[in-house]
Amino acid sequence: MSETVTHRETAEAGDRLLRVDGLSKFFTQGSGILSSFFDNDVVKAVDDVSFDIRAGETLGLVGESGCGKSTLARTVLRLLEPTTGSVYFKGVDLADIGGEELRSMREDMQMIFQDPQASLDPRMKVGPIVEEPMKAHDLYEGEREERARMLLEKVGLDPQHYNRYPHQFSGGQRQRVNLARALSVNPDFIVCDEPTSALDASIQAQVLNTMRDLQDEFGLTYLFISHDLSVIRHISDRVAVMYLGQLVELAETDELFENPEHPYTEALLQSIPVPDPRASGKRGVLEGDVPSPIDPPSGCRFRTRCPKLIAPAEYDFTQEEWAAVRRFTRAVQRRTFEVESETRVRHEFFPTGVPGGDGGAVVERAIEAILDARWDDAESLLRESFADQSPCARELPEYEVEAERGTGRHYAACHLHADGVDETGGELDG
Ligand SMILES: Nc1ncnc2c1ncn2[C@@H]1O[C@H](COP(=O)(O)OP(=O)(O)OP(=O)(O)O)[C@@H](O)[C@H]1O
Ligand code: SF4
Ligand SMILES: [Mg+2]
């Protein structure tokens, strides 16, 4: 590691509020007395995740449904016990503390959830709802009501609303009540798990703006979770992109949106709907389903959907040939074509001829299998000979610094950026 990097590391460590180091959370499915006698499925919801959050910043966390965002958030706050790894808050390893010390650390770490309704007791008035955490933590004795009214005003509600019930508020207002409640114990860090996803777009923007104002006024640090990239771009200083339990990319917001390094991030960005339907823009580039976190793909977890999967080195495909082989493989996997004749198949997928060499021979055998209506055979032959032999399948790409731009570092985990990929990884598609 170079001297400059070491120096920066020290500088960055200085204003770090939270550090997450190699954090994993696995769930074992199946429970009860007999479960220990059987092989249970292990859901690798969060698998070896590391990042830090600087004091006063908003780190956005984005990824498709089920990729582990909420599990990561809850494990960071120790609402869930980590399977492995550490969380340091203000330099203290949360695993090393318990009881009173952990309780008082929790004052400083609050969470806001997606559904503003679920977290508000319908039988309680809004004032006492906001006061509840103060009571639980034995804070602000004698001045709780005054503080609750002050906070209601700060979050954009009328202090007179103190005596109203949650059902008398709109969704956006209820989320504001949750904000006041989270702020009541004067935290430094708030995890916001899809806080505005249930709201209409215009209300969403207003609540986000209030959250930004509160951040400045109360010196807050946010971990902000959303599957919506435009929300993430609006609110975040830096953005972490999660895929199937792992972080694949992290960079400052403009840097990430302008120079995405990871093919998954690129695909996410390209799938943002284009506001003007006449404007050109690629859509639907993110094909296929997310694999199960019980049995994630070997190597790079994104490889089963990656449009840039690296060709196996043992075949001498040109870029065009590898692109054609991949297109053919995808079509076979999805059975998206009818076999009218051998010529049609060849013409559709390999208009300039099936490639030569060992790779071409595999393609020929796959075409033969399809003509015999043995689709499953063709599919596994193609998968085992090509996709499973890719360097992307053989090795987990390292999550490492790709660039130093602006004031921050840009991390990504993709073999395309690894040194020497051209020597060992064959040709690139795309
Ligand atoms: N208690 C649990 N037991 C077993 N599996 C779980 C449990 N909680 C979450 N999971 C699984 O862990 C994975 C990650 O779930 P998680 O809720 O963290 O994803 P998410 O990114 O927050 O999704 P969403 O965007 O839909 O909120 C999913 O496959 C989910 O089914
Ligand atoms: S490592 Fe391979 S499969 Fe994974 S993102 Fe990079 S190119 Fe795609
Ligand atoms: Mg979630």
Side-chain angles (χ1 to χ4, degrees):
M1 192 180 282
S2 78
E3 241 172 75
T4 20
V5 171
T6 319
H7 177 74
R8 285 187 69 100
E9 194 123 66
T10 324
E12 280 182 4
D15 61 356
R16 207 187 254 161
L17 183 75
L18 182 95
R19 182 157 74 89
V20 170
D21 191 13
L23 197 67
S24 300
K25 179 65 195 176
F26 298 169
F27 297 104
T28 309
Q29 275 190 339
S31 56
I33 261 172
L34 291 178
S35 65
S36 54
F37 295 99
F38 295 105
D39 267 351
N40 287 302
D41 286 337
V42 175
V43 183
K44 296 175 177 166
V46 173
D47 196 356
D48 195 15
V49 166
S50 301
F51 63 93
D52 50 30
I53 306 185
R54 302 166 199 165
E57 81 168 341
T58 299
L59 180 72
L61 178 63
V62 69
E64 286 162 288
S65 182
C67 72
K69 304 181 294 297
S70 297
T71 305
L72 176 59
R74 284 162 200 265
T75 313
V76 163
L77 294 181
R78 277 194 96 78
L79 300 173
L80 291 171
E81 193 66 26
T83 305
T84 57
S86 309
V87 177
Y88 300 87
F89 186 67
K90 297 180 176 174
V92 176
D93 186 345
L94 295 184
D96 287 346
I97 58 173
E100 199 43 48
E101 219 180 337
L102 183 61
R103 234 173 65 91
S104 99
M105 200 67 109
R106 284 233 170 94
E107 257 165 55
D108 285 340
M109 311 167 86
Q110 295 294 310
M111 185 152 179
I112 296 173
F113 300 94
Q114 173 171 354
D115 183 358
Q117 184 76 40
S119 35
L120 300 176
D121 184 340
R123 293 157 307 176
M124 276 174 82
K125 289 181 179 169
V126 154
I129 286 177
V130 174
E131 286 168 25
E132 205 178 42
M134 299 190 249
K135 276 193 192 150
H137 288 280
D138 243 340
L139 292 170
Y140 302 103
E141 172 101 62
E143 43 183 306
R144 285 176 195 148
E145 178 167 345
E146 196 190 335
R147 185 170 169 81
R149 288 180 187 273
M150 179 274 286
L151 288 168
L152 287 175
E153 189 166 12
K154 292 283 182 203
V155 299
L157 297 169
D158 186 339
Q160 308 295 330
H161 290 164
Y162 185 92
N163 286 312
R164 289 202 185 168
Y165 287 95
H167 75 263
Q168 295 174 283
F169 292 92
S170 68
Q173 286 175 322
R174 279 197 289 259
Q175 202 53 298
R176 288 172 190 273
V177 173
N178 277 315
L179 270 170
R181 184 180 145 92
L183 287 172
S184 70
V185 291
N186 196 23
D188 295 316
F189 177 52
I190 304 186
V191 174
C192 316
D193 191 354
E194 307 259 10
T196 60
S197 303
L199 308 175
D200 289 346
S202 62
I203 308 289
Q204 213 177 81
Q206 290 166 15
V207 174
L208 290 177
N209 288 337
T210 302
M211 290 184 69
R212 282 198 111 139
D213 296 343
L214 293 170
Q215 179 168 38
D216 292 340
E217 186 166 354
F218 290 87
L220 300 169
T221 304
Y222 290 139
L223 172 60
F224 193 101
I225 297 174
S226 179
H227 61 271
D228 182 334
L229 276 160
S230 48
V231 167
I232 285 286
R233 185 167 202 175
H234 184 76
I235 195 92
S236 313
D237 298 300
R238 291 189 303 150
V239 177
V241 181
M242 194 166 186
Y243 186 78
L244 203 55
Q246 299 186 320
L247 291 195
V248 295
E249 184 155 15
L250 190 157
E252 288 186 349
T253 305
D254 287 344
E255 164 72 5
L256 186 106
F257 279 80
E258 281 154 29
N259 304 307
E261 298 267 1
H262 197 281
Y264 176 60
T265 312
E266 282 175 31
L268 274 185
L269 294 180
Q270 286 168 1
S271 61
I272 298 177
V274 185
D276 178 355
R278 285 161 305 176
S280 65
K282 288 192 215 164
R283 289 196 204 191
V285 283
L286 209 45
E287 290 180 341
D289 296 328
V290 185
S292 162
I294 292 171
D295 186 20
S298 64
C300 173
R301 292 192 176 176
F302 185 51
R303 70 175 173 91
T304 54
R305 301 165 82 197
C306 181
K308 294 190 171 174
L309 187 84
I310 298 169
E314 50 268 55
Y315 307 110
D316 297 324
F317 290 131
T318 63
Q319 276 199 37
E320 290 71 31
E321 285 170 347
W322 178 234
V325 167
R326 297 262 299 138
R327 206 168 72 83
F328 178 56
T329 305
R330 274 198 299 274
V332 171
Q333 271 167 355
R334 302 203 185 116
R335 315 283 196 265
T336 50
F337 62 100
E338 306 256 337
V339 188
E340 283 166 25
S341 72
E342 183 173 345
T343 332
R344 285 292 288 268
V345 173
R346 288 177 186 279
H347 185 73
E348 185 170 346
F349 294 100
F350 303 98
T352 55
V354 169
D358 293 347
V362 172
V363 172
E364 290 293 357
R365 277 164 52 208
I367 295 177
E368 225 170 83
I370 291 168
L371 294 171
D372 262 4
R374 289 181 287 113
W375 287 87
D376 289 345
D377 289 352
E379 186 182 339
S380 44
L381 177 66
L382 291 168
R383 188 183 57 244
E384 285 159 20
S385 310
F386 299 135
D388 288 355
Q389 304 306 321
S390 162
C392 302
R394 291 183 162 165
E395 207 179 324
L396 180 69
E398 294 219 30
Y399 180 69
E400 56 194 358
V401 178
E402 297 299 337
E404 303 239 7
R405 273 191 277 258
T407 54
R409 294 158 160 198
H410 190 149
Y411 296 84
C414 170
H415 287 310
L416 282 176
H417 306 302
D419 293 336
V421 77
D422 288 345
E423 286 94 62
T424 58
E427 306 258 1
L428 312 179
D429 167 19

